[in-house]
Amino acid sequence: MPRSLLAGGAAGLSAALLLTSCANHARTTATSKNISDEKIPAKVSPGTSLTVGAPDLKVALELSGRADKLPFKVKWANISGGPQCSEAFRANALDICSAAEIPSINAHWTGLDTKLVATKFHQDPYRYPIYELGIAPGADIKSLADLRGKKIAYSPGQAQGALVLRILKKAGLTQQDVELVELASTGDVYPTALGNHQVDAAPIADVNVKRYLTKYGKDGGTTVKHGLRDDPGHLWALTDSVSNAQKSAAIRELIKIWARAQVWIDEHPKEWVEGYYVKDQGLSREDGEYLVKRSGHPDFPVDWSSAIKRQQQTIDLLAKEQKHEAFKADILFDRRYESVAADALAGDGRAT
């Protein structure tokens, strides 16, 4: 794995890899090894090492004073999200990372065997969506129905791509009713494409929503709420890692640590804004406070049945629209870890 990628300098490479993988609808699928009967050791050896791609978790542990209390060794990789994590998994340079729901599906279709080991949602997902549909100045889009005949930014291998397909379905439209413009959603690519009239609509998230409206709102740039759930977040692991006895135990402990860190972030917004958004990410305090308000509160389900059902709907939709072979969603979830996060929080006396 190139050092530059593990150092976080791979935005261009990730975009190229994403577009390559999206353009090539690979027929190879992962073997999806069944590990449900493999026992996870009760204790983890202190000498066990995990390579973890979750930069925000690293900062949360440092800010909360828990970074030196891990019961195993951690190598932090400054990467997260589907494209970067997938390439690191393929290079055997990563054990686990944070990602949304699409990367694990795409990985299966490209022969990479992985498992989802933790799940997080928003307590009020419709009030606190991750994405809004950015509308270009002069595009004359007031509702989802107005997307007919419009140019929409589309990234097949990312969460934004699946959201676009869901939006079209909700609006009663098909791909043939619009023009999908394939663009990798990295950095400010989508807001820039909107502002330059390269596309009429594009799903944008986080601080890009605020910045887009600030920059282009005076010219008529707006956003439209899509009204769909877009909040799944996961810890995503290489199947070879969860198949290793000691690593499987370390991953269980990491899930507990991760869940507690999410609660700490939720309960310490000022510290998070200053320590993560301002000092680590280089954002303004105003942007950090805006992001905290957008994020809502985390929810960790003790039962994954609804998450798996939702994942199945996504698989079926993508299989139909992107010409892939559908498969059973439950093979992506390692249900040995199903209640670990919720149980850890319940054990701490916190509501879940």
Side-chain angles (χ1 to χ4, degrees), residues 118-282:
T119 296
K120 176 174 73 74
F121 295 101
H122 289 173
Q123 287 183 10
D124 192 347
Y126 299 104
R127 183 179 178 185
Y128 299 102
I130 294 175
Y131 298 97
E132 293 182 28
L133 194 61
I135 308 301
D140 193 28
I141 298 173
K142 302 290 193 302
S143 69
L144 300 186
D146 296 331
L147 291 171
R148 183 182 296 274
K150 303 297 185 180
K151 294 182 292 184
I152 306 174
Y154 181 58
S155 49
Q158 294 181 284
Q160 293 91 331
L163 179 59
V164 166
L165 296 178
R166 290 195 193 101
I167 287 172
L168 292 180
K169 183 177 181 180
K170 180 178 180 180
L173 302 173
T174 69
Q175 292 189 47
Q176 287 68 45
D177 295 320
V178 300
E179 180 183 347
L180 297 181
V181 180
E182 194 163 310
L183 294 171
S185 178
T186 56
D188 62 352
V189 170
Y190 277 13
T192 300
L194 289 167
N196 293 340
H197 299 278
Q198 186 178 356
V199 295
D200 298 307
I204 53 178
D206 300 328
V207 77
N208 276 331
V209 175
K210 176 177 176 288
R211 291 177 177 174
Y212 176 69
L213 294 175
T214 298
K215 186 172 182 179
Y216 296 105
K218 62 182 181 299
D219 300 321
T222 61
T223 64
V224 170
K225 300 292 180 62
H226 54 70
L228 297 164
R229 289 201 70 162
D230 63 1
D231 59 325
H234 301 283
L235 285 182
W236 182 34
L238 194 62
T239 298
D240 283 347
S241 297
V242 289
S243 297
N244 177 286
Q246 280 303 311
K247 284 192 174 185
S248 70
I251 286 171
R252 180 191 59 222
E253 298 309 309
L254 181 71
I255 295 168
K256 297 177 184 178
I257 292 163
W258 168 77
R260 289 166 179 152
Q262 305 310 306
V263 172
W264 184 91
I265 291 169
D266 187 48
E267 295 177 346
H268 297 81
K270 291 183 179 179
E271 293 92 332
W272 188 241
V273 168
E274 185 65 29
Y276 181 64
Y277 288 124
V278 176
K279 291 185 178 180
D280 187 78
Q281 297 293 296

